[in-house]
Amino acid sequence: MTQTAAPKRRSRKAEQRAETVEQILDAAEELFSQHGLYGVRLKEVAEKVGVHHTLLNYYFDDKKALFDAVFARRAAVTSERRMQALDDYERACGGKPTLEGALHAFLDTDLDLYIDGGEGWRNYAKLGAQVANTPAWGADLMDRNFDPVVLRLIELLKKSMPDADEAAIFWGYHFVTGALMLTLARTGRIDKLSGGLAKSEDFIAVKQYMATFMAGGFRAICK
């Protein structure tokens, strides 16, 4: 009996550990999305979870390690989903992608997570916007987590515009990601400017307009 009971105890302990780590990551994600890496203390994360702050040091070496873990957790999900969407799209179009098709595959798959995934995913969107605009260490995080899927998109964009200047395509992506990051930040500025006609929280509207808008930009600079 001892031999059969021990694995169950170890399994339950592993489950509890995983649950605790998820709670820590969720709490840290919310706080980091609001205040950034330097605006959050580990003690505040611990208080939000309801544990002693020394427990965080057991799971994470320091605050930056916690931040990186928060970022990587959902980055792996969105990268995998977008890579799959781009591969599926290329097969569906018979290897002849269009600008709109490639951009929809790349953007809509991600936007669906923010539409359907709850506040946790929306917090992650805000966090991603911060990371993308932090040169000191953010660029490295973006490189490590997103370069393969971005280059996969670039590959399809090149196929859709075989005669375009390659540099223009990269500039186009640069402008695309800038617009996307501002949108994901949900600053509320568009709400005020439009008098409520457009809202930062309205990712359904973003999905409706963004790919078409960006395709127009690519065409304009890649003539």
Side-chain angles (χ1 to χ4, degrees):
M1 291 182 63
T2 304
Q3 290 179 343
T4 58
K8 291 183 179 179
R9 286 199 296 270
R10 286 197 295 269
S11 176
R12 181 55 188 155
K13 186 174 181 180
E15 289 176 3
Q16 290 175 335
R17 181 183 186 281
E19 289 171 5
T20 300
V21 170
E22 283 298 302
Q23 290 172 358
I24 292 171
L25 293 175
D26 286 343
E29 182 178 62
E30 182 178 350
L31 291 170
F32 285 140
S33 74
Q34 295 171 355
H35 308 293
L37 171 62
Y38 299 113
V40 176
R41 294 177 299 158
L42 287 178
K43 186 176 181 180
E44 293 171 316
V45 177
E47 289 173 352
K48 192 169 184 64
V49 179
V51 298
H52 195 273
H53 66 87
T54 55
L55 183 64
L56 271 66
N57 297 120
Y58 175 77
Y59 292 118
F60 304 98
D61 291 338
D62 52 31
K63 185 169 66 171
K64 184 58 166 58
L66 172 59
F67 187 96
D68 289 355
V70 167
F71 190 77
R73 176 178 61 157
R74 296 194 199 270
V77 176
T78 182
S79 291
E80 182 178 349
R81 283 171 59 103
R82 283 188 287 179
M83 189 71 83
Q84 186 64 56
L86 291 168
D87 290 344
D88 290 346
Y89 171 67
E90 185 173 29
R91 282 192 295 269
C93 71
K96 297 179 180 179
T98 66
L99 271 173
E100 283 85 357
L103 288 168
H104 272 296
F106 182 78
L107 295 167
D108 293 0
T109 308
D110 207 37
L111 291 169
D112 283 342
L113 288 170
Y114 309 131
I115 293 169
D116 302 324
E119 196 58 25
W121 270 101
R122 295 189 177 202
N123 287 335
Y124 178 75
K126 293 172 68 175
L127 191 65
Q130 291 181 25
V131 171
N133 288 282
T134 306
W137 47 262
D140 179 61
L141 268 183
M142 297 299 285
D143 293 347
R144 280 191 276 132
N145 288 283
F146 295 123
D147 273 10
V149 70
V150 169
L151 292 173
R152 182 73 175 97
L153 170 64
I154 296 292
E155 180 184 347
L156 292 184
L157 294 175
K158 289 178 180 179
K159 287 184 178 181
S160 73
M161 299 179 291
D163 298 325
D165 177 63
E166 188 173 358
I169 293 177
F170 279 99
W171 276 115
Y173 172 75
H174 180 73
F175 301 143
V176 161
T177 195
L180 179 61
M181 290 303 109
L182 177 60
T183 300
L184 297 185
R186 292 187 293 154
T187 64
R189 180 162 166 72
I190 193 174
D191 307 54
K192 297 175 184 176
L193 288 171
S194 69
L197 291 175
K199 295 181 172 63
S200 290
E201 303 285 339
D202 191 357
F203 283 113
I204 293 175
V206 173
K207 184 178 174 180
Q208 178 183 355
Y209 294 121
M210 183 168 278
T212 302
F213 172 80
M214 291 175 173
F218 269 106
R219 286 196 178 91
I221 67 172
C222 291
K223 286 181 180 177

